[in-house]
Amino acid sequence: MNVDGWKQFAAEAAAGLVRDEMLVGLGSGTTVAHVIRALSRLGSGATFVPSSSTSQRLASKLGLRLESLSAHKKLDLMLDGADEVDPNFNLIKGRGGAHTREKIVASASRRVVIVVDRTKLVRRLGEQMPVPVEVLPFAREYTIARLEKLGGKPKLRQTSAGTPFVTDNGNYIVDIEFGSIQRPTKLEREINRIPGVIENGLFVGVADAVLVGHEDGCAKLRSKRDFLKFMRA
Ligand code: 5RP
């Protein structure tokens, strides 16, 4: 079995958390796409709030009932993927460039469950992935120069055609390599203080639980203890 199969194990466990009466936020990415397919297979009667155009298209095509966030103040649950998860359930997100809306939907949700395969678990954030930052195209050069002063290596994300990647919000993404991040709470705040930054992909204190797909199924991590035990096994 390959990593995609591990994602499917976690996605099926995530879909099993959804009840018909719930209002559920959906993140983005390949793992969330598996969650959407699993929900459709189950014939879920819940209502979903997608946080990206890609998830919206897939969920709509597969017949899930969709509403927008503007119709609701509170959601019951958010199901989302991540690029890195640390033992405190802090995250790096945004490989798909959808982290701004994902952070908003997560913040509107009573419970946030992160769905990943085991390759996403890290001791410290930044070990494997850069931190994506959504920036206003108008302020690109200025914002990148300010981001550089935080100590990382910022790089404008580009498409395969060599043009800047554009988010659902019409903005650019700057990926910043920091290496191992010692104080994610402070860094999240510092990045967002820079004019021209819309939102960054550090999600600190957002996730309540993590579903981790692996060779033999899915582990449900509810605490740091669960995380460390899983890493040791
Ligand atoms: C998109 C995200 C995704 O959830 C994250 O990149 C994980 O993606 P995948 O499930 O494809 O590995 O944050 O903005």
Side-chain angles (χ1 to χ4, degrees):
M1 165 149 329
N2 58 16
V3 174
D4 199 58
W6 307 349
K7 290 183 183 188
Q8 285 182 42
F9 280 144
E12 275 154 29
L17 300 176
V18 174
R19 301 283 165 264
D20 283 354
E21 65 281 4
M22 284 183 172
L23 182 59
V24 181
L26 292 172
S28 337
T30 53
T31 316
V32 169
H34 283 309
V35 175
I36 293 171
R37 286 187 209 103
L39 286 162
S40 166
R41 276 197 301 275
L42 289 172
S44 176
T47 303
F48 297 92
V49 175
S51 54
S52 70
S53 54
T54 315
S55 291
Q56 175 163 15
R57 272 196 301 276
L58 181 64
S60 159
K61 187 173 134 201
L62 296 182
L64 298 185
R65 184 186 308 135
L66 302 183
E67 285 189 9
S68 80
L69 186 63
S70 53
H72 301 279
K73 288 204 181 67
K74 233 21 197 174
L75 278 63
D76 298 299
L77 175 68
M78 164 80 162
L79 298 174
D80 199 356
D83 301 304
E84 285 188 353
V85 183
D86 81 3
N88 295 310
F89 294 176
N90 295 325
L91 318 170
I92 290 181
K93 287 187 45 55
R95 273 327 284 164
H99 60 272
T100 298
R101 293 189 190 188
E102 288 164 350
K103 207 180 260 193
I104 296 168
V105 176
S107 124
S109 301
R110 289 190 186 90
R111 190 167 162 72
V112 177
V113 175
I114 298 301
V115 193
V116 292
D117 65 81
R118 71 168 175 77
T119 65
K120 307 290 186 68
L121 302 190
V122 295
R123 297 268 165 193
R124 262 186 212 276
L125 295 181
E127 275 178 9
Q128 303 175 5
M129 300 300 291
V131 176
V133 180
E134 183 162 1
V135 304
L136 210 61
F138 168 79
R140 176 175 100 178
E141 302 304 340
Y142 171 78
T143 309
I144 291 176
R146 290 282 304 265
L147 286 168
E148 210 153 20
K149 291 192 179 145
L150 294 178
K153 289 192 200 117
K155 197 168 167 215
L156 185 71
R157 190 181 295 182
Q158 302 211 319
T159 65
S160 49
T163 54
F165 172 91
V166 178
T167 70
D168 279 350
N169 309 311
N171 298 313
Y172 293 162
I173 296 285
V174 176
D175 292 304
I176 314 180
E177 265 182 43
F178 284 103
S180 183
I181 297 169
Q182 310 294 320
R183 299 172 69 187
T185 311
K186 183 166 173 267
L187 186 59
E188 183 183 17
R189 246 187 274 124
E190 280 178 354
I191 295 174
N192 280 0
R193 265 208 299 262
I194 294 174
V197 167
I198 310 293
E199 186 54 82
N200 72 79
L202 285 166
F203 283 48
V204 176
V206 172
D208 296 297
V210 183
L211 297 173
V212 187
H214 55 90
E215 290 84 341
D216 304 317
C218 175
K220 295 185 178 109
L221 311 185
R222 293 188 183 84
S223 63
K224 184 172 186 171
R225 206 163 147 233
D226 289 349
F227 183 106
L228 296 173
K229 199 168 150 203
F230 179 84
M231 289 290 259
R232 276 196 302 269

